[in-house]
Amino acid sequence: GPSGGGWCGGAGGSEPGGGGTSGGGSGAAQGEALQRLEMQGEVLQRLEMAQLSGELVVQEASAMLPALALAPRPGHCVLDLCAAPGGKTLQMLDMLAASGGGEGGDREGGSRG
């Protein structure tokens, strides 16, 4: 088992086959692992900022089922009475746009999707 050495597959040399004393291999592996972690942190930060600005909306998988079950097609008229925050509406608009039609909006606010 692990004996407190390096991380990322035993790169610190305490695990069998973990590199250890073969000169520079473990440092490069740790550097690559650190770079991956930094990139993941940047991606997470960008996702969080997109969510806060409204560019990205998190939606439970179960919330996607109604639009999939309805399967709107061009020519269908859909009134989503439970449209806040609008995830299912946007999903249906995306489905319609992919099939060649669709227009959405908020009658009160006048915005268009």
Side-chain angles (χ1 to χ4, degrees):
S3 60
W7 50 284
C8 195
S14 61
E15 294 279 327
T21 61
S22 58
S26 66
Q30 286 182 350
E32 289 174 13
L34 182 60
Q35 187 177 17
R36 281 193 305 272
L37 285 174
E38 289 173 354
M39 287 182 2
Q40 288 173 353
E42 289 177 22
V43 168
L44 290 175
Q45 184 179 17
R46 288 182 183 181
L47 287 173
E48 184 178 341
M49 290 183 69
Q51 185 176 357
L52 290 173
S53 69
E55 294 177 67
L56 176 69
V57 178
V58 177
Q59 184 177 16
E60 294 287 333
S62 62
M64 296 181 210
L65 295 176
L68 293 173
L70 184 61
R73 302 275 184 245
H76 285 175
C77 182
V78 178
L79 177 61
D80 186 354
L81 296 175
C82 303
K88 286 182 278 302
T89 302
L90 291 174
Q91 182 183 359
M92 287 186 279
L93 283 170
D94 189 48
M95 293 168 73
L96 287 170
S99 63
E103 175 178 315
D106 180 357
R107 291 202 184 264
E108 294 295 319
S111 64
R112 291 281 174 193

